[in-house]
Amino acid sequence: MGLSRLAALHGVATSYSPSPDVTVSVPDDTVIAVLAALGVDAGTPADVRKCLVAAESRSRLLPPTVVVWAGEPLPPALAGLPPGSTVTVEPEPAETPGHLAGRPPAPLSMRSRAAAPAAPVTRPPGTAPGSGTSASAAPAASPLAAPDTATASAPAWWIPPPHGVHRIHVRTPDHRRATAVLIAAPARVPQPPERSHGFLVQLYSLLSARSWGMGDLGDLADLAGWAGRTLGSGFVQVNPLHAAVPGRPTDPSPYRPSSRRFPDPVHLHVESIPEYGHVRDRATLDDLRQDAAALSEAVLNKGALIDRDAVWELKRQALELVVEVPLTPGRRAAYCDFLAEQGQALEDHALWCALAEVHGPDWHTWPEALRDPRSPGTARARAELLDRVDFHCRLAWLTATQLAAAQRSAEDAGMSIGIVHDLAVGVHPGGADTWAQQDAFAPSMSVGAPPDAFNARGQDWGLPPWRPDVLAATGYAAYRGLLRGLLARAGALRIDHVMGLFRLWWVPEGRPPTDGTYVTYDAEAMLAVLALEAHRAGAVVVGEDLGTVEPGVREALARRGVLGTSVLWFERDWEGGGRPLAPEKWRRDCLATATTHDLPSTAARLTGDHVTLRHRLGLLTRSLEEELTEDATDTAEWLALLARLRMLPEGDGDEEAAVRAVHRFLLRTPARMTGVWLPDTVGDRRPQNLPGTWDQYPNWRLPIADPEGHPVTLEEITASPRLHALMEVLRPRKPHTAPPGERRP
């Protein structure tokens, strides 16, 4: 009983429900291990009692982080303050426009008359609040106050601070004091300005005639510019472009990166870097370009897989030459601005990259003096490797500039959203983020998923989780920096496994996933930071909420304006017999698609090819006949619905017509965004990733291909009759505009 109570105080579950009528108890050893990772010693009954006494006797006037939402009642921590308490909000300098203009931020001071809300005080615009404003007089307005934060649901003494992350100080009449981080957030993230369609693509798989063996940011900008202008598309969604862990072979999965905050320079289009044209050693550059052309030739015409390591080796050599070219004064100023903007986080990332070149990609194996980013030994190494640190800082800047260029290309082409970037759920345990932020990650823990109907053994993703207590104590600084970096050059952000903002399945090291448990995060704070940073960037947010979703999570996300993800084959009326869900019953606030990178392509789903693929790889748990029969029944139900809705005029047996019908159906739903898997436009049958496989299948290494498996280039995709026939289904109809001198009929 004591262990359960202690676990509950720290957000650690002692049981979970994989289905409404089933409850599974978590082993005590798991609970004890998870508490230890949170800094709580529960190894013996005596330890449990000691920690319980300490935890229950600890009285906090305020939690470490407090959230206030624009236009909503104050949280209990503030609304319930003793009458007569003094509350001062001190805007953090970095969050304050006035500070950036050279003016120090003015604190907002107020006094609580009563715990119950009162009528709001009307404040004259343009006047500044005085320190220690009394509730008996109408407090003056702060020039920092956001105009949309005043609310009738807040107490009269409350002066809404501007959107941002501040410090809040409280003093009660009995002289108790408390300080906390205050997150003042807009009530919702920005919404798509209009209904739109767009492409979903794994960038590495999109090779053009100019690629160096894999798709790059030049190809992304080109695709966005073409799709926006030619097809009226509103967005292009890509896989995570986070920095990978170096090495040979590199883990090809974009969902297990070294760092989520900084992009990987392997995505650079080298020739687009301004300094490229001024490299003196043209002969070496020409040789590298020929080698890159040979890589592309092997992938496109000889059946080779995308070789990320080989691509990076060529690009690294070229970039070594490029960075030797002196920057122009304007470029130098822009680079210095980037360094100042990114600060310590970029320096740590670049230093990790430099140290990894010398000591290998897992910092746990480095000399002990280098395992601490703040040690004297690391400081000496930083000085010794200064040139390499600057090299990696420069690459981060060059990649960021090309990401921004891709977004500008999308906007210039008329896209209403632009590039949708993807945030992976975690990072590699030996990578740059875990080295630089060791205190923020739970030691000897991994994120995964509990057993379910699709995987009785559960899943271990090999990703160390953030500690919720450290996040709260630091005002979510690491999370804020991560989001700000990603959103700065994005039109929208997709969050993989968005349920992780609420809870994550922690698996202790050395234990099977079945022996894990859920650990709860402060979803209010996580969502508030997300809303704040998305608001600043003007970016849409899409959550991947497929699979097991805790009750209330989708409702909480929808309340904050986070769109969900709806995949056609999973949308059934489970409460009404499990039939395919009619289009008008789909949710509006979502990205609707026919498939994802982890699922079969639409052509493979319609033909059953995905079942035979899993059979060839020995992944089926039943006979091939049983699996094919069940799959055919599922597909037939959907095709019958499409036929009843008159979306399949060509009838059964026409694969391309069926793919078009599926997308007609998606367009009939009220979904705000409709995503088209780019390989679907040319009939590709191969999944980019086949969950449950490692070396049995070439995950994350396949170029986009036609129905026969022959790779196709970006140029061939854009000229594909099959693509244009499909996109006619989605293309917005524009009114005819007569050329000059021609009268409209």
Side-chain angles (χ1 to χ4, degrees), residues 378-401:
T378 301
R380 287 192 296 272
R382 181 183 289 108
E384 294 166 0
L385 298 171
L386 194 59
D387 287 346
R388 298 307 297 171
V389 172
D390 182 65
F391 174 72
H392 291 289
C393 285
R394 182 86 71 90
L395 297 193
W397 171 59
L398 293 173
T399 312
T401 59

Side-chain angles (χ1 to χ4, degrees), residues 371-643:
R371 297 176 196 171
D372 180 356
R374 304 292 171 253
S375 73
T378 301
R380 287 192 296 272
R382 181 183 289 108
E384 294 166 0
L385 298 171
L386 194 59
D387 287 346
R388 298 307 297 171
V389 172
D390 182 65
F391 174 72
H392 291 289
C393 285
R394 182 86 71 90
L395 297 193
W397 171 59
L398 293 173
T399 312
T401 59
Q402 289 198 4
L403 286 169
Q407 177 62 15
R408 284 196 302 273
S409 177
E411 292 171 347
D412 291 346
M415 284 192 166
S416 56
I417 295 175
I419 309 302
V420 182
H421 288 284
D422 198 351
L423 173 61
V425 71
V427 293
H428 193 284
D433 282 2
T434 57
W435 178 72
Q437 305 167 15
Q438 292 176 41
D439 291 344
F441 288 92
S444 303
M445 291 289 150
S446 176
V447 173
D452 57 26
F454 300 98
N455 193 329
R457 293 175 294 180
Q459 300 176 53
D460 183 344
W461 301 333
L463 308 170
W466 264 335
R467 285 181 54 167
D469 56 329
V470 173
L471 285 177
T474 57
Y476 296 81
Y479 179 51
R480 286 155 46 199
L482 167 62
L483 290 177
R484 188 170 300 184
L486 286 170
L487 290 164
R489 298 159 189 92
L493 181 66
R494 173 191 181 269
I495 300 180
D496 191 42
H497 192 69
V498 72
M499 297 80 78
L501 300 181
F502 296 77
R503 66 178 186 178
L504 283 171
W505 184 257
W506 287 24
V507 181
E509 185 177 35
R511 296 178 181 272
T514 51
D515 284 355
T517 190
Y518 281 113
V519 175
T520 300
Y521 291 75
D522 185 345
E524 280 288 286
M526 299 289 275
L527 288 171
V529 173
L530 177 62
L532 174 62
E533 296 301 337
H535 175 80
R536 285 171 164 165
V540 174
V541 179
V542 179
E544 185 271 296
D545 56 352
L546 304 174
T548 302
V549 183
E550 186 181 11
V553 166
R554 286 197 174 108
E555 293 77 8
L557 293 170
R559 182 183 179 193
R560 299 304 170 197
V562 178
L563 305 185
T565 302
S566 294
V567 177
L568 181 130
W569 310 100
F570 301 153
E571 291 295 317
R572 289 178 171 270
D573 183 5
W574 299 111
E575 296 181 358
R579 292 183 297 274
L581 193 64
E584 66 273 10
K585 294 185 178 180
W586 283 41
R587 53 182 169 170
R588 175 174 178 265
D589 295 326
C590 74
L591 165 64
T593 73
T595 190
T596 73
H597 59 268
D598 282 333
L599 296 172
S601 70
T602 304
R605 174 77 71 169
L606 291 168
T607 58
D609 282 4
H610 66 110
V611 177
T612 56
L613 171 62
R614 294 181 66 83
H615 172 67
R616 287 200 305 270
L617 298 176
L619 299 176
L620 298 183
T621 58
R622 298 181 298 173
S623 71
L624 176 61
E625 291 72 19
E626 288 177 295
E627 294 280 355
L628 285 173
T629 299
E630 181 177 293
D631 183 72
T633 300
D634 181 87
T635 301
E637 288 182 339
W638 279 103
L639 291 175
L641 175 60
L642 297 176

